[in-house]
Amino acid sequence: MVFSHRMAALAAVVVIPLGIAATSYALTDSPESPKVPPKVELESGSPSATPTSTASPTATPSDEVVSRPPVSDDDDDDDGPGDDG
């Protein structure tokens, strides 16, 4: 009797996940492969690759130097560090 209970438990541990996996696989949709257009066209009003003017380039925001803000003490109590009381 004990052997049949062990076999039933082992079968349940193996069969239930396999049944779930098979059901999941059967219910999934297989998506169609994406279709690639034969020709890509750009807008006619797009800018050209060469610059139209010979003026010197302006600095980009990443080139700007910004000074640090002043350090301020927002701590209201002046009892010192580590004062939890």
Side-chain angles (χ1 to χ4, degrees), residues 28-34:
T28 56
D29 293 333
S30 57
E32 296 179 11
S33 60

Side-chain angles (χ1 to χ4, degrees), residues 3-78:
F3 184 72
S4 64
H5 288 295
R6 287 182 182 170
M7 288 301 292
L10 180 62
V13 166
V14 173
V15 171
I16 291 174
L18 287 177
I20 292 172
T23 304
S24 176
Y25 180 75
L27 294 177
T28 56
D29 293 333
S30 57
E32 296 179 11
S33 60
K35 304 216 186 295
V36 180
K39 184 178 178 184
V40 177
E41 295 180 10
L42 299 176
E43 295 179 11
S44 61
S46 63
S48 61
T50 58
T52 57
S53 64
T54 58
S56 63
T58 59
T60 60
S62 62
D63 294 340
E64 294 179 12
V65 177
V66 179
S67 62
R68 273 191 181 177
V71 177
S72 62
D73 185 16
D74 292 337
D75 192 11
D76 291 338
D77 60 345
D78 293 326

